Amino acid sequence: MSDDTPWLSADELQAWLHLAGVLTALPATIDAQLKRDACVNFFEYSILSGLSVRPGRAMQMAVLAQLANGSQSRLSHAVSRLEKAGWVERRHCPGDTRAVEAVLTDAGMARVAQIAPAHVREVRRTVVDVLTAEELDQLRGACRKLLAVTAPEVLETFDENRR
């Protein structure tokens, strides 16, 4: 039996290990800041901020689960917590009564505005201010390519938000 596994070169392995390290460390760092400063986790903030930039501050639950990188079950539990806080409501989607969407309330929008400054400072501290403008552009390009392979629906949602 021949081994036709396309093993990583030393340089490829180092790139992968560094990416895996960032994928582990960065979310934990951001999550800790949000919990400490705002008593929400990164997943909940992803829901709130994702809704805050959408038309009508609403998004179908299935799409929101993809954007926030969670299962529909995890999203449902998180939205329940956010509903209890008065920041999110659920309603049937206009035109499709079988689908449910989450809607950011005025109180939720105010909460996002309250949380965002400290969150942005942490994003700057951990990512933006450590990279040059050219490196940020390269990072964006590399991440777009990775998302195109791993989560094209998320990339599409990001692109829609830019329009």
Side-chain angles (χ1 to χ4, degrees):
M1 183 184 330
S2 69
D3 185 7
D4 58 353
T5 302
W7 296 108
L8 301 177
S9 70
D11 287 342
E12 291 168 337
L13 179 59
Q14 284 301 304
W16 166 247
L17 291 173
H18 283 86
L19 176 60
V22 168
L23 292 173
T24 302
L26 186 59
T29 299
I30 297 296
D31 196 55
Q33 176 273 315
L34 287 166
K35 286 178 181 176
R36 179 186 68 241
D37 296 344
C39 298
V40 297
N41 62 41
F42 188 33
F43 186 68
E44 292 165 335
Y45 183 75
S46 296
I47 294 166
L48 295 171
S49 64
L51 291 172
S52 74
V53 297
R54 296 293 293 190
R57 299 189 315 219
M59 190 181 307
Q60 211 172 52
M61 292 284 283
V63 176
L64 187 55
Q66 292 171 344
L67 182 65
N69 193 29
S71 68
Q72 289 196 26
S73 174
R74 182 178 183 203
L75 176 70
S76 182
H77 289 294
V79 167
S80 291
R81 288 190 303 273
L82 298 172
E83 281 181 308
K84 286 179 186 169
W87 301 333
V88 173
E89 295 174 348
R90 289 180 226 224
R91 69 177 181 210
H92 290 287
C93 291
D96 185 359
T97 56
R98 293 173 297 154
V100 175
E101 63 184 6
V103 182
L104 188 67
T105 64
D106 290 342
M109 190 65 187
R111 185 66 175 144
V112 170
Q114 184 182 34
I115 295 170
H119 174 64
V120 169
R121 281 192 290 278
E122 188 69 353
V123 169
R124 283 196 161 284
R125 184 186 76 79
T126 58
V127 178
V128 175
D129 292 346
V130 246
L131 301 174
T132 66
E134 181 180 354
E135 289 169 331
L136 277 173
D137 192 50
Q138 291 169 346
L139 177 63
R140 181 196 54 77
C143 289
R144 285 186 60 78
K145 288 180 179 181
L146 295 173
L147 282 171
V149 172
T150 60
E153 62 284 347
V154 172
L155 181 58
E156 185 177 317
T157 301
F158 288 166
D159 287 347
E160 287 174 4
N161 286 339
R162 291 190 68 177
R163 295 180 197 148

